[in-house]
């Protein structure tokens, strides 16, 4: 099966490492324009430069946004600025938590942070693009 995402825009949260990083690389290889989102500007800049750009003839480009998904006010501002004039076709909400391990070893705060990152941040991002 051949997938061509040329001309599509993906927003990949938690893109600086792990599954988010791998997802961003694969989406770029499929022709997608990728916007990376995480807390580390250095890691995002490095990854943006590594992403596949073989389809530059079609206008493929990549960029990044620095945001902490735990800070909802800053996230709203960052996403709001990005969203003006931008269409996002694919959202990868890969934001982490709770930490790996036995559920009995996790603290309630770990689950609250995970809920914040997975649901609240996703709601902020989604509603910015879907009024």
């Amino acid at each position: 099966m051949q997938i061509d995402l040329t001309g599509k825009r993906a927003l990949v949260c938690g893109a600086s490492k792990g599954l988010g990083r791998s997802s961003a690389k694969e989406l770029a290889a499929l022709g997608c324009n990728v916007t990376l989102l995480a807390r580390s500007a250095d890691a995002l800049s490095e990854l943006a430069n590594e992403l596949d750009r073989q389809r530059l003839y079609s206008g493929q480009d990549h960029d990044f946004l620095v945001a902490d998904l735990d800070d909802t006010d800053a996230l709203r501002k960052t996403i709001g600025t990005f969203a003006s004039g931008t269409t996002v076709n694919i959202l990868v909400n890969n934001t982490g938590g709770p930490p790996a391990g036995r559920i009995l070893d996790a603290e309630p705060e770990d689950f609250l942070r995970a809920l914040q990152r997975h649901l609240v941040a996703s709601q902020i991002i989604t509603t910015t693009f879907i009024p």
Side-chain angles (χ1 to χ4, degrees):
M1 179 160 93
Q2 197 163 30
I3 299 173
D4 183 4
L5 297 177
T6 301
K8 303 295 183 191
R9 167 71 55 191
L11 175 59
V12 181
C13 302
S16 61
K17 58 187 174 182
L19 291 173
R21 184 179 184 92
S22 295
S23 296
K25 286 185 172 188
E26 186 61 25
L27 287 163
L30 293 171
C32 209
N33 301 305
V34 180
T35 299
L36 310 165
L37 187 142
R39 292 175 294 198
S40 172
D42 291 340
L44 293 173
S45 177
E46 179 184 314
L47 177 57
N49 290 324
E50 290 176 18
L51 293 179
D52 192 328
R53 295 178 185 267
Q54 292 182 24
R55 300 182 193 204
L56 282 175
Y57 63 87
S58 66
Q60 185 180 15
D61 69 330
H62 310 298
D63 57 3
F64 64 90
L65 303 170
V66 177
D68 183 345
L69 297 178
D70 292 329
D71 184 345
T72 55
D73 291 335
L75 178 61
R76 266 191 196 90
K77 183 177 179 180
T78 299
I79 291 298
T81 301
F82 168 70
S84 60
T86 303
T87 298
V88 171
N89 309 101
I90 301 165
L91 171 62
V92 178
N93 186 28
N94 170 64
T95 54
R102 293 176 357 126
I103 194 168
L104 297 174
D105 296 333
E107 296 295 324
E109 293 78 22
D110 295 331
F111 291 97
L112 291 172
R113 276 190 297 277
L115 181 69
Q116 168 72 29
R117 292 176 185 154
H118 289 289
L119 297 179
V120 176
S122 179
Q123 188 271 345
I124 289 169
I125 293 167
T126 305
T127 57
T128 302
F129 290 100
I130 305 168

